[in-house]
Amino acid sequence: MTCDTLIYMRGDDSACDTDMCVRHLCLLLLPTLGTVCAVSVTGLVGSQVTLPCNMTKDSLEAGHRSKYPATSVRWQKKDGKQRTVVSVLSSGLTFTAQSMISRVVIQQSEMDQGVFSLHLKDVQEEDAGIYHGKAQYGDSKQNCLVILHTIKLTQSPRGLLPERTSVNLTCSSVVDPEQTSPSVRWFHRGVLVQPSSRVSLSGFGLYILSLTQDDQGEWSCEEDGVRSSLMLRVLGISGPSSLSVYTASGSSAELPCNVNEMPMEWPLRVRWSRATGPIGEDKQMLLLNHVRAEDAGTYRCDVTFRSQQLTRHINLRVIQVFPPGPTFAKEGSSHQLLCNVSGLPGEERFEWTGPSDPTGQHKVLSGAVLDLPIVHAKDSGTWICSVYGKDGTLGKVEHWIYVHAPHTAGVTSFSSWRYILPLSLLLVFGLIAIAVVSFRNRQRRLSHLAALTSMGSPPASHPKKISV
């Protein structure tokens, strides 16, 4: 291999600058290594990487013809001075640096095929640098020079971040401090990232301004075909920032203020309020029972996380029918009902659905007003007012109508003189008869009482006469 045939792929168009950098390295090491050029390898922090070192076919065949075709290899790292990483002697003994004793491997079974590559496990950021491999197979020798780049994506600040905050993503991949044109590409959920008003790219860094829930997911930086990724988590309130909830009068209503995930690393505080003042429910779901028309209006939910406040406004709209029910209507009469929605005005569409007939069909009438010019017996039952919006049904309310026939309408059907006069006379005669019977019974009781009194009295005594 020569400098002219060097392949040093960086993934960008700065081939001239890259070749100059590598050739400078070649010339620096030329007196000790001969004509050797570096190969660039990028390793993902935490994964495994292979530093290639393969003997040419001609050198391998020459080694086979050697009188003593023993093999040996030594890998060193250039950190100001040469530091041995691993060494395999011709006897088979292996010596490994204490700091890498469990992370570096040379497959001795491959050495007879002229493969002296260094396998590095659990790559660390400090592993980045220049590695020099010296291999010998019989009389043939091989020098390998590998520049190891490490790549790791980090986030600042770390952890779960609330909406409308900002974040820095840094792709740590610097080996040569003088390199000012890194060939790093950025991806979000597998899609190449382009600069925008919120996303700016600068060298190995990416800055996102005013986070939204759409920024969640996997972010990756790529260099030399190697990607490092992390999952960006953005805390927000699920759904739109302004929401309308419809409920029937007298029923319950649930006002949601649910966050997309419950944080574990930081406390979460929820506060509810409306124009009349704070409600004080420290819950993500506000439950209102027996909703009335005066409960309609705008409710506010404030979620505080990491000193950042997220806000949602919920417009509660109450569906009700006027006049309130149930309704008692006489067959043949006319009747009207109005389906109304309390709260801020909207673009609703109303529809009335009547009770089913013997065939299972329902009468369906459009509009907020239910107009029954002639009430029939088949109109008796449950009428449902449905409220629709552009996205479908918003809510429903039920109203009962009871229809009664005219001959069973009650006292009003007897309000003619031909019925009232006879009944009145009959009532008067009855009262007189009762009075006469009561008077006679009273006389009898008085006579009987007088008789009992006279029978129980002692005979009167006559005074005695005294003669002188």
Side-chain angles (χ1 to χ4, degrees):
M1 185 190 305
T2 65
C3 290
D4 294 332
T5 60
L6 173 70
I7 299 176
Y8 187 78
M9 298 187 64
R10 299 286 300 182
D12 59 6
D13 297 328
S14 56
C16 181
D17 294 340
T18 300
D19 289 343
M20 289 179 59
C21 175
V22 175
R23 282 178 179 158
H24 174 70
L25 184 59
C26 293
L27 293 174
L28 178 64
L29 300 177
L30 185 60
T32 57
L33 300 181
T35 306
V36 179
C37 290
V39 175
S40 176
V41 174
T42 301
L44 178 63
V45 172
S47 65
Q48 179 176 317
V49 69
T50 297
L51 308 187
C53 186
N54 302 317
M55 187 169 284
T56 64
K57 183 178 179 180
D58 293 340
S59 298
L60 183 60
E61 291 177 352
H64 286 314
R65 294 191 298 267
S66 300
K67 187 175 181 180
Y68 302 102
T71 57
S72 63
V73 62
R74 173 181 294 181
W75 278 95
Q76 294 178 312
K77 183 181 180 184
K78 183 177 176 60
D79 290 332
K81 61 180 181 178
Q82 296 285 352
R83 179 168 59 90
T84 299
V85 176
V86 62
S87 178
V88 180
L89 304 182
S90 57
S91 61
L93 292 177
T94 302
F95 297 92
T96 307
Q98 187 69 28
S99 60
M100 293 187 170
I101 196 167
S102 62
R103 297 197 298 121
V104 293
V105 175
I106 295 178
Q107 300 292 344
Q108 295 191 34
S109 60
E110 298 178 347
M111 293 173 63
D112 289 340
Q113 284 76 44
V115 178
F116 305 95
S117 301
L118 177 65
H119 304 280
L120 179 59
K121 302 177 181 178
D122 189 20
V123 175
Q124 307 296 319
E125 289 184 82
E126 55 269 21
D127 293 335
I130 302 172
Y131 289 78
H132 176 210
K134 295 180 180 180
Q136 182 169 355
Y137 184 75
D139 295 332
S140 299
K141 297 181 180 180
Q142 180 74 36
N143 283 302
C144 300
L145 195 64
V146 181
I147 300 176
L148 175 61
H149 298 255
T150 59
I151 182 171
K152 180 182 179 181
L153 183 58
T154 57
Q155 169 189 332
S156 178
R158 304 174 63 182
L160 181 64
L161 301 177
E163 286 184 311
R164 297 197 302 274
T165 57
S166 301
V167 65
N168 274 303
L169 302 182
T170 303
C171 193
S172 303
S173 179
V174 178
V175 173
D176 184 358
E178 297 181 0
Q179 185 176 358
T180 58
S181 301
S183 57
V184 176
R185 297 196 303 168
W186 293 89
F187 297 86
H188 181 215
R189 298 174 185 170
V191 179
L192 185 65
V193 176
Q194 301 293 342
S196 66
S197 58
R198 289 196 313 111
V199 179
S200 58
L201 307 178
S202 175
F204 289 98
L206 181 145
Y207 180 74
I208 308 174
L209 176 67
S210 188
L211 288 168
T212 68
Q213 292 187 53
D214 292 336
D215 297 322
Q216 292 186 110
E218 183 184 61
W219 287 81
S220 307
C221 64
E222 179 183 278
E223 184 181 10
D224 290 343
V226 179
R227 289 189 186 185
S228 179
S229 304
L230 59 78
M231 295 299 295
L232 182 62
R233 299 159 55 214
V234 180
L235 180 71
I237 301 175
S238 302
S241 59
S242 183
L243 178 69
S244 293
V245 174
Y246 291 74
T247 188
S249 177
S251 63
S252 60
E254 292 182 344
L255 307 185
C257 188
N258 300 314
V259 294
N260 55 349
E261 69 172 287
M262 181 57 69
M264 302 299 295
E265 62 269 42
W266 205 274
L268 188 71
R269 189 179 65 183
V270 182
R271 290 290 182 267
W272 287 91
S273 63
R274 58 183 306 191
T276 55
I279 301 175
E281 289 282 347
D282 194 12
K283 299 178 182 178
Q284 295 186 45
M285 182 74 71
L286 179 62
L287 177 62
L288 302 176
N289 294 310
H290 306 293
V291 174
R292 299 172 296 176
E294 50 266 31
D295 293 325
T298 301
Y299 291 74
R300 173 172 171 162
C301 169
D302 294 314
V303 177
T304 304
F305 177 74
R306 279 189 168 184
S307 302
Q308 184 73 21
Q309 183 172 287
L310 308 175
T311 301
R312 158 174 276 187
H313 293 91
I314 303 176
N315 182 27
L316 177 61
R317 309 205 64 195
V318 181
I319 309 171
Q320 52 191 336
V321 175
F322 293 102
T327 295
F328 296 89
K330 183 173 63 175
E331 188 175 10
S333 64
S334 62
H335 198 75
Q336 279 190 345
L337 294 174
L338 173 64
C339 187
N340 181 60
V341 178
S342 301
L344 297 178
E347 297 180 356
E348 298 89 3
R349 181 171 57 86
F350 299 86
E351 186 177 87
W352 283 94
T353 304
S356 60
D357 58 20
T359 64
Q361 301 296 319
H362 294 267
K363 180 187 292 186
V364 178
L365 302 173
S366 298
V369 177
L370 173 62
D371 187 11
L372 300 176
I374 301 177
V375 177
H376 300 280
K378 62 182 180 181
D379 295 326
S380 182
T382 305
W383 286 79
I384 300 176
C385 173
S386 301
V387 183
Y388 297 93
K390 61 180 180 179
D391 296 325
T393 304
L394 301 175
K396 298 180 180 180
V397 64
E398 294 184 352
H399 187 87
W400 280 84
I401 297 179
Y402 295 94
V403 180
H404 50 78
H407 63 278
T408 60
V411 178
T412 56
S413 60
F414 296 95
S415 59
S416 61
W417 287 105
R418 61 177 181 173
Y419 292 107
I420 295 177
L421 185 58
L423 288 176
S424 300
L425 293 176
L426 182 60
L427 179 61
V428 170
F429 284 126
L431 292 175
I432 293 174
I434 293 172
V436 171
V437 173
S438 299
F439 178 76
R440 289 182 178 179
N441 289 338
R442 185 173 181 278
Q443 292 295 341
R444 289 176 184 173
R445 286 196 298 272
L446 291 176
S447 299
H448 183 65
L449 182 60
L452 290 177
T453 302
S454 61
M455 289 177 60
S457 301
S461 59
H462 300 282
K464 294 182 179 181
K465 295 181 179 181
I466 300 175
S467 58
V468 178

